[in-house]
Amino acid sequence: MERQADWRQEKAQALARARVVVIKVGSAVLTDAQGLSTPVLESLARQMAALRTAPDGHERRLVLVSSGAVAAGRAVLRAHGHSGETSGLSARQAAAAVGQGQLMRAWDEVFRAYDFPTSQVLLTRDDLRARQRFLNARNTFAELMDWGVLPIVNENDTVSVSELKFGDNDCLASLLVNLIGADLYINLTSAPGVYAANPQEVPDAGILECVEDVAGLDLGRMCGGKTSVGTGGMYSKLQAARRAAQLGVPTLILPGREADVLARAFGGEAVGTWVRPEEHAIPRRKFWLAYQSDPAGTVLVD
């Protein structure tokens, strides 16, 4: 099949045909100085609930990857007079333990208004590394979506060690694209899209409407650092888009705090950045071997 020259047509068709969608939302979108932002959560819940029904009447399956547990935990601790440092590993894990319940309760409350039940799924890299556990997780996600339940996924920060961490939720979300067989990946971020150059060095850099070849980008030069409340930044978002592209899955990077941004994007408005998939997708099992399995065995050269 020849690659379509018009990426706008490709984008419109992909959005209309999407049946299984991974939506990742970052801490910088969900939180403010007081912790979780209820108006933002309410807006996103309304938009995601509306996305469940495609224009042709088919039901879409959604999986939400939500950051924000550590930021929510810090807000709770501040409210109870704890002003100590929470940037070390153990402190971040403890803050995540405090905030994860707050995060899930907030999401459950806003989705309840749209009769959209939620479930919590906490993962470590080891859950996707072992093939049997990978297949079991895939079956669990399929069952939840068959029931019309929204899986809300986060890294299990409280028990993760460096060897088991995904690194950030952008990485986790891109690996879920493979796990659940998604055909669209949406990343809601605090930026208006992907800048043509590092905005810290080129203040007037414009937003790219489309990234034609994400594998060919020099991400180190294009991207700045991480956000103040998250662990990612545009570098990790484009790395995640690169993984999805290898599976033949497009990515839509959107400004998560803009009003009705999901509805506008699916309605055809030019918002955010579209990342085109690779023309020739790799098999999903090979993707798992590349990103989620441990090398084993030896090579003997005579």
Side-chain angles (χ1 to χ4, degrees), residues 181-246:
D183 47 20
L184 178 65
Y185 172 40
I186 298 175
N187 201 323
L188 300 175
T189 180
S190 56
V194 178
Y195 287 97
N198 187 341
Q200 296 176 347
E201 299 175 357
V202 186
D204 58 348
I207 298 296
L208 297 172
E209 285 189 86
C210 175
V211 174
E212 292 278 354
D213 178 20
V214 66
L217 295 179
D218 184 347
L219 300 184
R221 295 192 63 180
M222 281 186 64
C223 305
K226 67 180 183 179
T227 58
S228 60
V229 293
T231 57
M234 193 54 70
Y235 182 92
S236 67
K237 288 163 181 57
L238 287 172
Q239 285 278 33
R242 179 181 290 178
R243 295 187 194 98
Q246 290 180 307

Side-chain angles (χ1 to χ4, degrees), residues 128-139:
L128 305 185
R129 180 179 294 163
R131 187 65 179 174
Q132 189 60 40
R133 293 171 72 175
F134 175 91
L135 295 173
N136 183 64
R138 185 176 70 182
N139 293 337

Side-chain angles (χ1 to χ4, degrees), residues 56-79:
D56 59 5
H58 282 83
E59 194 78 5
R60 287 194 182 99
R61 295 180 167 202
L62 307 181
V63 170
L64 173 62
V65 179
S66 175
S67 302
V70 174
R74 286 170 176 163
V76 172
L77 293 170
R78 285 196 302 269

Side-chain angles (χ1 to χ4, degrees), residues 2 5 16 35 39 41 46 51 96 126 128 142 154 159 180 197 252 265 287:
E2 291 187 5
L41 269 72
R46 172 176 51 79
L51 280 186
D126 202 40
L128 305 185
N154 200 354
V159 301
I180 67 170
L252 184 56
F287 182 92

Side-chain angles (χ1 to χ4, degrees), residues 55-208:
D56 59 5
H58 282 83
E59 194 78 5
R60 287 194 182 99
R61 295 180 167 202
L62 307 181
V63 170
L64 173 62
V65 179
S66 175
S67 302
V70 174
R74 286 170 176 163
V76 172
L77 293 170
R78 285 196 302 269
H80 286 78
H82 176 80
S83 57
E85 181 59 48
T86 57
S87 59
L89 176 60
S90 61
R92 280 182 58 84
Q93 290 179 316
V98 174
Q100 184 62 37
Q102 303 288 325
L103 179 65
M104 276 305 304
R105 183 173 66 179
W107 277 125
D108 191 61
E109 287 178 353
V110 294
F111 277 111
R112 189 179 302 137
Y114 304 97
D115 194 27
F116 200 172
T118 65
S119 62
Q120 175 179 255
V121 183
L122 298 177
L123 295 172
T124 67
R125 185 176 281 274
D126 202 40
D127 295 316
L128 305 185
R129 180 179 294 163
R131 187 65 179 174
Q132 189 60 40
R133 293 171 72 175
F134 175 91
L135 295 173
N136 183 64
R138 185 176 70 182
N139 293 337
T140 300
F141 275 97
E143 199 73 51
L144 288 168
M145 292 185 287
D146 283 344
W147 292 343
V149 173
L150 174 68
I152 300 179
V153 188
N154 200 354
E155 181 161 8
N156 197 346
D157 289 308
T158 305
V159 301
S160 286
V161 293
S162 58
E163 292 82 4
L164 299 182
K165 289 183 71 64
F166 294 98
D168 54 65
N169 274 345
D170 295 311
C171 176
L172 169 57
S174 67
L175 299 181
L176 282 179
V177 169
N178 180 47
L179 177 73
I180 67 170
D183 47 20
L184 178 65
Y185 172 40
I186 298 175
N187 201 323
L188 300 175
T189 180
S190 56
V194 178
Y195 287 97
N198 187 341
Q200 296 176 347
E201 299 175 357
V202 186
D204 58 348
I207 298 296
L208 297 172

